[in-house]
């Protein structure tokens, strides 16, 4: 399948992976590996895993199905994951400044951010030139962000951004 077709399908694919990630930690019976990529509580920090890792998981699917069309895929997906996560956070803070937080609005925010991220990814994948240095930078960023998510899942700072507002807990509940 062509990479551009897969990216268009990614509007729905990334969203569905995100929905699955939302429930993955509980469904996995609190598996410690799953905790690194799926939220373990309702803190904003933990919920940021959803856009970030859903884009990357979809990137793996694209890699497997694209049949050799992998030029700049790593850079496209890492940048898209970062931008999607930032847009989710910005839109969440924007709408909660006006309205009460609601799961349907959260889902809409996530979908809009996914659409923006997928357009960015599609644009990068349209570049004909191999972006070797940027692909390497993307790999470094991917490792750093993944390690940060994992570290702060197990040892989160005592800050409101890392606190589950409902349970008043941080990180993995003990």
């Amino acid at each position: 399948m062509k990479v551009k077709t897969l990216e268009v399908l990614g509007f729905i694919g990334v969203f569905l992976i995100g929905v699955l990630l939302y429930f993955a930690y509980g469904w996995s019976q609190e598996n410690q590996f799953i905790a690194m990529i799926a939220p373990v509580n309702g803190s904003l920090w933990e919920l940021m895993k959803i856009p970030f890792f859903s884009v990357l998981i979809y990137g793996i699917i694209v890699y497997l199905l694209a049949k050799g069309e992998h030029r700049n895929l790593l850079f496209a997906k890492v940048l898209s994951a970062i931008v999607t996560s930032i847009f989710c956070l910005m839109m969440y803070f924007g709408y909660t400044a006006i309205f009460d937080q609601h799961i349907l609005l959260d889902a809409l925010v996530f979908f809009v951010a996914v659409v923006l991220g997928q357009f960015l990814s599609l644009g990068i994948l349209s570049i004909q030139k191999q972006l070797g240095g940027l692909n390497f930078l993307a790999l470094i960023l991917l490792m750093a962000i993944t390690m940060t998510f994992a570290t702060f899942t197990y040892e989160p700072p005592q800050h409101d951004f890392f606190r589950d507002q409902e349970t008043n807990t941080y990180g993995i509940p003990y």
Side-chain angles (χ1 to χ4, degrees):
M1 195 174 266
K2 291 219 173 258
V3 73
K4 290 181 182 176
T5 303
L6 290 166
E7 284 301 291
V8 171
L9 294 173
F11 295 118
I12 301 301
V14 172
F15 184 80
L16 292 175
I17 291 167
V19 170
L20 294 174
L21 278 178
Y22 182 80
F23 298 103
Y25 181 67
W27 287 346
S28 72
Q29 299 176 348
E30 300 179 356
N31 180 286
Q32 298 301 298
F33 174 74
I34 298 298
M36 289 190 282
I37 63 168
V40 300
N41 65 36
S43 71
L44 287 176
W45 172 258
E46 288 294 319
L47 293 174
M48 294 308 297
K49 292 178 185 177
I50 295 172
F52 187 77
F53 287 109
S54 60
V55 169
L56 294 177
I57 291 168
Y58 190 76
I60 293 169
I61 293 168
V62 171
Y63 179 82
L64 295 172
L65 297 177
K67 305 211 190 279
E69 289 186 66
H70 306 127
R71 182 181 55 251
N72 303 320
L73 182 62
L74 181 63
F75 176 62
K77 295 324 276 177
V78 170
L79 187 61
S80 176
I82 292 168
V83 167
T84 301
S85 299
I86 290 169
F87 270 105
C88 275
L89 198 58
M90 289 171 40
M91 288 187 285
Y92 172 82
F93 282 130
Y95 100 74
T96 57
I98 302 168
F99 306 107
D100 289 335
Q101 187 269 338
H102 193 279
I103 190 133
L104 291 178
L105 290 174
D106 291 345
L108 179 62
V109 161
F110 177 54
F111 186 75
V112 170
V114 165
V115 168
L116 293 170
Q118 284 301 108
F119 273 123
L120 174 64
S121 182
L122 193 54
I124 293 168
L125 291 170
S126 297
I127 297 170
Q128 296 300 315
K129 183 180 178 195
Q130 178 71 24
L131 304 172
L134 292 176
N135 285 306
F136 180 72
L137 176 63
L139 180 61
I140 300 299
L141 280 172
L142 174 60
M143 290 187 306
I145 294 169
T146 300
M147 287 189 305
T148 303
F149 271 124
T151 300
F152 288 163
T153 292
Y154 296 106
E155 296 294 330
Q158 302 297 300
H159 185 276
D160 279 349
F161 190 67
F162 298 88
R163 183 171 56 89
D164 183 327
Q165 301 296 321
E166 287 184 24
T167 64
N168 207 29
T169 59
Y170 296 85
I172 292 181
Y174 294 103

